[in-house]
Amino acid sequence: DAGVIQSPRHEVTEMGQEVTLRCKPISGHNSLFWYRQTMMRGLELLIYFNNNVPIDDSGMPEDRFSAKMPNASFSTLKIQPSEPRDSAVYFCASSDTLSRGRPNTEAFFGQGTRLTVV
Amino acid sequence: GQSLEQPSEVTAVEGAIVQINCTYQTSGFYGLSWYQQHDGGAPTFLSYNALDGLEETGRFSSFLSRSDSYGYLLLQELQMKDSASYFCAVRVDRLVYNQGGKLIFGQGTELSVKP
């Protein structure tokens, strides 16, 4: 398997523009997480899905952020409108809780999207 | 609220042993994990403890004491390639069949290994 795939790897956009980050989880994994990483705040959990259903979005900073998972192989994180303080590395991770009757405790991370809002 | 505390940085020499501590205060506790992240890379899983005691995986070991809300990662026979950031993470929701559970990360410890 190619692992968790995120696109784009880098995004530079102007303040006020809409930004869409994409994630393809590992095939067969049923949980998907979106994290944001900055020097000041570390790795923050934004939202996570189980079986394509959002379970906890309490980490989403504000209404400008939204996330969807229309099917088991694709998720998006959208920021509209973007602001300079949204600049960060955004990671998507997936895990498999259906593995051989014992929940898999490991989360597999993608390479991240480095977002710069100017 | 949720808080995980770990030292911000640690320095050690090649061949040495280093211990990175993590204390946590979380709404729930269903296991402590450790992840490694090299500069510019993705976090990668190292170990997981759900019960008290020591788990050993090669040069790395991880320890948990639930009564003390404390754990540590022990790295032995340090190598230059071990220079990276190390994160402890707590599952605050129960991990059951069909549910992933919420995973909260500490701020990370930057380990520098010197020759």
Side-chain angles (χ1 to χ4, degrees):
Chain A
D1 199 311
V4 176
I5 299 173
Q6 293 186 244
S7 64
R9 289 295 309 278
H10 302 272
E11 176 81 32
V12 180
T13 191
E14 291 185 346
M15 184 173 64
Q17 295 298 305
E18 177 180 295
V19 175
T20 300
L21 312 181
R22 296 172 176 79
C23 175
K24 181 180 186 308
I26 292 173
S27 177
H29 282 193
N30 65 322
S31 295
L32 184 138
F33 307 83
W34 282 101
Y35 288 88
R36 177 172 68 175
Q37 186 173 36
T38 60
M39 288 294 293
M40 290 296 294
R41 301 174 69 91
L43 263 168
E44 301 174 272
L45 177 64
L46 301 178
I47 185 172
Y48 80 97
F49 296 82
N50 281 324
N51 299 306
N52 315 337
V53 176
I55 302 300
D56 188 331
D57 65 355
S58 59
M60 296 286 261
E62 47 199 273
D63 291 346
R64 297 185 297 107
F65 285 67
S66 62
K68 293 182 180 178
M69 193 163 185
N71 56 62
S73 58
F74 184 65
S75 177
T76 59
L77 178 68
K78 186 177 292 187
I79 308 173
Q80 165 64 15
S82 58
E83 297 181 4
R85 60 189 168 128
D86 301 330
S87 298
V89 180
Y90 290 80
F91 285 103
C92 175
S94 70
S95 68
D96 170 18
T97 57
L98 301 177
S99 176
R100 295 179 292 278
R102 178 179 178 275
N104 189 325
T105 56
E106 177 178 358
F108 294 81
F109 282 76
Q111 289 301 307
T113 294
R114 182 174 295 276
L115 174 65
T116 303
V117 183
V118 298
Chain B
Q2 326 274 22
S3 79
L4 286 79
E5 299 288 332
Q6 36 178 147
S8 58
E9 52 186 41
V10 172
T11 301
V13 296
E14 262 188 307
I17 299 173
V18 73
Q19 179 173 312
I20 300 174
N21 299 321
C22 173
T23 56
Y24 57 88
Q25 282 189 316
T26 55
S27 56
F29 179 83
Y30 295 94
L32 180 72
S33 301
W34 289 92
Y35 285 76
Q36 179 192 60
Q37 185 181 31
H38 285 100
D39 249 357
T44 56
F45 174 82
L46 292 176
S47 68
Y48 174 78
N49 295 67
L51 302 175
D52 292 352
L54 192 68
E55 293 277 344
E56 297 181 70
T57 311
R59 295 188 297 115
F60 294 179
S61 304
S62 57
F63 172 83
L64 174 64
S65 169
R66 287 173 296 169
S67 60
D68 296 321
S69 298
Y70 164 76
Y72 65 72
L73 178 69
L74 191 73
L75 297 86
Q76 302 182 74
E77 300 171 21
L78 279 175
Q79 302 175 9
M80 298 294 289
K81 67 178 182 178
D82 297 329
S83 293
S85 292
Y86 292 84
F87 294 85
C88 60
V90 169
R91 284 202 183 272
V92 298
D93 290 348
R94 190 177 175 195
L95 185 63
V96 296
Y97 183 83
N98 216 35
Q99 260 194 292
K102 188 172 179 177
L103 190 62
I104 304 296
F105 281 79
Q107 290 283 86
T109 298
E110 187 173 348
L111 171 64
S112 297
V113 180
K114 308 292 186 187

